[in-house]
Amino acid sequence: MTAHRLLRLAGTALAAAWLAACAEDRLEITAAAAPPTGPAAGDVAVARAPDGTGVFLAWVAGDSGSRHVWFSRAGEGGDWSAPVQVTDVADDVGAPHGESSPRLVAGGGNRVALVWSRSVPVAGRRWPASEIRFARSLDGGITWSAPHTLNDDSTGAPGTHTFHGAAWLGGDSLVAAWLDERGGASFPGHHHAADDDGAASATESDARIFVAVSGDFGATWSPNRPVWGAVCPCCRVSLARDPSGTLIAAWRKHFPGSIRDVVTAPLLPLPGEPERVHRDDWEYPGCPHTGPALAVDSAGARHVAWYTGKPGGAGMFYGRVAPGGGATPAATPLVTGAGLQTGHAAIAATGSGALVAFDVDEGGARAIRVARVDAGGAVAGIETIEGSAGGTYPQLVALAEGEALVAWRQGGDAAGIGLARIRWK
């Protein structure tokens, strides 16, 4: 199978200028070729080797009865490898769902890990139960371990374990966290949304965040441990490590009165008290399927991007939490509008702020947009990626200084995976 070149331009550059006058603020976006992904591809994940020697890509492809997790890698200036099938049994992964897509983790020493969710149909349940699955590679993704289940209640009645995050803690340490119905508490008027645009349906209890830790890069795992409750049950949890080695989590908490705001807190080595990133006070009697994106910079500041649907204040926002937590300044709007659809974000910390990718525009249409936020927390400019109309659930990874790679699920006739390279000065 012919490898595809990551940096090949797909036609002319899709470049655009920032609104600032200086040439130093110019952003350049160029399309990049994706590896062959197979039918119905989506749920993309992207990561970079800690030593900068490669970029990793994972995705889900196939129709019901033939669905698998796939993997490919490239040098930062090289070719995509032939795709490798990670799952050894068909449908060992749920139907495409961007909020619960696989999480790809790159460790040192050419090691890669994947965490994903598998659906478990159960008679009498409106939605399937689910399990958290894991596989690892010790040779850069050439070969993979047999997948196994991380939630340790798999021998009982099937339950819900999904909307997960995963991270490398340095050395041989991995962590996975997910939303779990064990110990969830019901809130009056709480409904589970059937789709990404917030259509409410059957009543369901809140979730609790559970965590499992491995000290040998996934060969063995600790028992599952419950951490925080009152979690909006279909909005993903995001994880990022700070410079001290503390693992930070971000998620959407369900406050009394159907208020659903984003919070952050240390998860490991010891859980901390959740703090609101911003007091949106979004009252919504449903679950919007939109968790926050989180990145931590070299100084320990937490960069967060999220959606709120508060009437009169709906939009995608950016906020920065000081190292160690504490008071948060006013949120920075990235896009707002009365007709805005539910949006989904990805974020990467840069040497001078953050880069945010999201999937909605002012008119409510789907498209992949990229915003650069400067060191002061102000938006330096926003661009829409040409050819990304209908795209959803972007994933973002920082490469060398001043460069990043964004991946997303294409929509419409161009269904599949889209990739673009971003450069700025």
Side-chain angles (χ1 to χ4, degrees), residues 15-385:
W18 288 114
L19 301 179
C22 296
E24 288 77 8
D25 290 332
R26 190 171 183 85
L27 178 78
E28 201 174 73
I29 303 177
T30 56
T37 56
D43 284 5
V44 63
V46 63
R48 183 193 190 210
D51 60 4
T53 57
V55 181
F56 307 127
L57 195 71
W59 65 94
V60 177
D63 300 314
S64 180
S66 65
R67 196 175 293 119
H68 285 282
V69 179
W70 294 85
F71 173 88
S72 182
R73 70 172 294 161
E76 291 195 24
D79 299 331
W80 287 113
S81 64
V84 173
Q85 183 179 300
V86 176
T87 46
D88 52 6
V89 176
D91 285 356
D92 192 5
V93 60
H97 191 317
E99 194 68 11
S100 187
S101 59
R103 297 294 180 251
L104 180 60
V105 179
N110 217 23
R111 298 174 299 176
V112 194
L114 270 163
V115 177
W116 69 92
S117 181
R118 172 174 68 181
S119 296
V120 182
V122 178
R125 287 179 65 116
R126 183 178 178 89
W127 296 278
S130 51
E131 295 180 336
I132 297 295
R133 303 284 281 169
F134 170 82
R136 68 173 185 168
S137 172
L138 304 181
D139 56 14
I142 298 171
T143 60
W144 289 82
S145 65
H148 67 273
T149 299
L150 294 188
N151 52 282
D152 56 16
D153 62 337
S154 59
T155 58
T160 298
H161 321 80
T162 186
F163 304 113
H164 44 283
W168 179 53
L169 297 182
D172 295 327
S173 297
L174 291 172
V175 61
W178 62 89
L179 274 56
D180 198 305
E181 68 181 5
R182 285 177 281 178
S186 295
F187 278 70
H190 174 219
H191 298 277
H192 181 90
D195 55 44
D196 289 339
D197 296 321
S201 49
T203 300
E204 191 176 22
S205 63
D206 272 354
R208 179 179 290 274
I209 292 175
F210 272 64
V211 63
V213 179
S214 173
D216 48 20
F217 206 79
T220 60
W221 289 82
S222 69
N224 299 176
R225 179 163 61 96
V227 188
W228 301 287
V231 178
C232 198
C234 52
C235 297
R236 72 180 186 224
V237 57
S238 294
L239 305 177
R241 183 182 61 162
D242 77 7
S244 72
T246 298
L247 186 68
I248 307 298
W251 69 98
R252 189 178 296 279
K253 183 175 178 178
H254 184 189
F255 293 88
S258 286
I259 300 297
R260 301 176 188 277
D261 285 354
V262 169
V263 297
T264 69
L267 172 57
L268 294 172
L270 293 173
E273 186 66 25
E275 296 180 282
R276 269 185 171 104
V277 175
H278 183 258
R279 189 157 191 141
D280 294 329
D281 285 329
W282 180 22
E283 183 178 356
Y284 181 67
C287 192
H289 286 241
T290 173
L294 172 69
V296 180
D297 65 24
S298 59
R302 306 169 196 173
H303 301 262
V304 188
W306 73 96
Y307 169 84
T308 179
K310 183 177 181 179
M316 301 293 308
F317 290 85
Y318 163 85
R320 182 181 297 166
V321 180
T328 305
T332 300
L334 302 176
V335 58
T336 59
L340 209 65
Q341 293 191 64
T342 301
H344 314 92
I347 193 167
T350 68
S352 57
L355 200 68
V356 184
F358 52 97
D359 60 2
V360 67
D361 67 16
E362 291 88 347
R366 290 287 184 212
I368 304 303
R369 310 187 75 196
V370 181
R372 187 179 174 202
V373 182
D374 66 22
V379 176
I382 297 177
E383 300 295 338
T384 300
I385 298 179

